Amino acid sequence: MVDVRKQVPVLTGALTIVSLALVFGAVGGAIPSALLPRAPASVLEAIPTINALISAAAIVSILTGIRAIRRGNIKSHRTLMVTTFSLFVTFLVLYLYRVTLIGPTEFAGPAVVETYVYLPLLAIHILLAIIAIPAVYYTLLLAASYPISELAQTNHPRAGKIAATLWLVSFSLGIVVYAMLYL
C-alpha cells in the first residue's frame, strides 16, 4: 500500500499538471467542442454570472473557514474548506465547459481600458489562480492524509494561509474581470 503522506508533493504536482492542462487545453481550443453535449444558449450565457456567484460564495466560505480555525473550530474549518474546494471545482467545470464550446470572451470596452486596466487585472488573476492550484492541492492532500492531531506539525497551517490568500485574491479579481466583461 502506498503511503499518501510520502506522496503529497508528487500527487500535488500530478493534480496540478492535469488541472492546468485542462484549462490551457480548453482556452487554447485543444479540446474538441464536439466531445461535449451543447447546452442551450441561455445556459451558456448564464455560466459567467453563475461563476461570479460561485466566486462570491467561495470568498465567504474561505473567510468563514479562516475565522473558524482561528477560533479552534476544526470541524467547521474542514467543512468550509471542503465546501470552498467543491465551489472551485464547480466553477472550473462550468468555465471549462463554456470556454470549450464558445471560447474565451473578448473585452468589448475601449482599447485604453483593455490595455491598462483589464489585461493587467486578468494577468494577475490568472497568475494567482495558477499559483493557487498547487497550494490548494498540497494543503488539501495534507489535510486528507494526516489525522487532525498531527496536522499542526505539518506544513498544512502555513500552506493553508498561502492557499487561502491566493484563492481570496484570485476569486475577488475574477469577480472584477466578470464585471468588466459582462456588466
Side-chain angles (χ1 to χ4, degrees):
M1 177 111 177
V2 175
D3 184 2
V4 174
R5 293 180 193 190
K6 294 179 182 175
Q7 301 302 321
V8 167
V10 171
L11 291 170
T12 298
L15 290 169
T16 299
I17 289 167
V18 169
S19 297
L20 292 176
L22 285 170
V23 171
F24 287 115
V27 171
I31 300 173
S33 61
L35 293 176
L36 301 173
R38 188 160 189 97
S42 60
V43 171
L44 293 172
E45 290 169 13
I47 288 175
T49 302
I50 292 166
N51 272 350
L53 294 171
I54 288 171
S55 295
I59 290 167
V60 170
S61 68
I62 292 168
L63 291 172
T64 308
I66 291 169
R67 191 173 97 206
I69 200 63
R70 285 184 179 157
R71 292 182 174 180
N73 191 338
I74 295 168
K75 185 177 178 184
S76 287
H77 172 75
R78 179 175 272 199
T79 299
L80 287 158
M81 293 301 100
V82 169
T83 298
T84 302
F85 185 71
S86 299
L87 289 166
F88 168 70
V89 169
T90 302
F91 172 97
L92 192 58
V93 167
L94 290 172
Y95 174 79
L96 292 175
Y97 176 73
R98 184 176 189 278
V99 81
T100 298
L101 291 178
I102 63 176
T105 302
E106 298 286 328
F107 182 77
V112 69
V113 173
E114 179 180 28
T115 301
Y116 296 107
V117 179
Y118 173 74
L119 290 176
L121 281 173
L122 180 63
I124 293 167
H125 166 64
I126 291 169
L127 179 63
L128 291 176
I130 289 169
I131 296 169
I133 289 171
V136 167
Y137 283 143
Y138 182 74
T139 304
L140 289 173
L141 286 167
L142 286 173
S145 61
Y146 282 86
I148 291 171
S149 62
E150 295 178 24
L151 268 181
Q153 286 74 46
T154 70
N155 283 329
H156 179 82
R158 185 178 54 210
K161 288 176 186 174
I162 294 167
T165 301
L166 292 169
W167 249 1
L168 282 170
V169 177
S170 181
F171 276 127
S172 299
L173 288 176
I175 293 172
V176 173
V177 167
Y178 162 80
M180 294 184 79
L181 287 175
Y182 299 101
L183 300 181

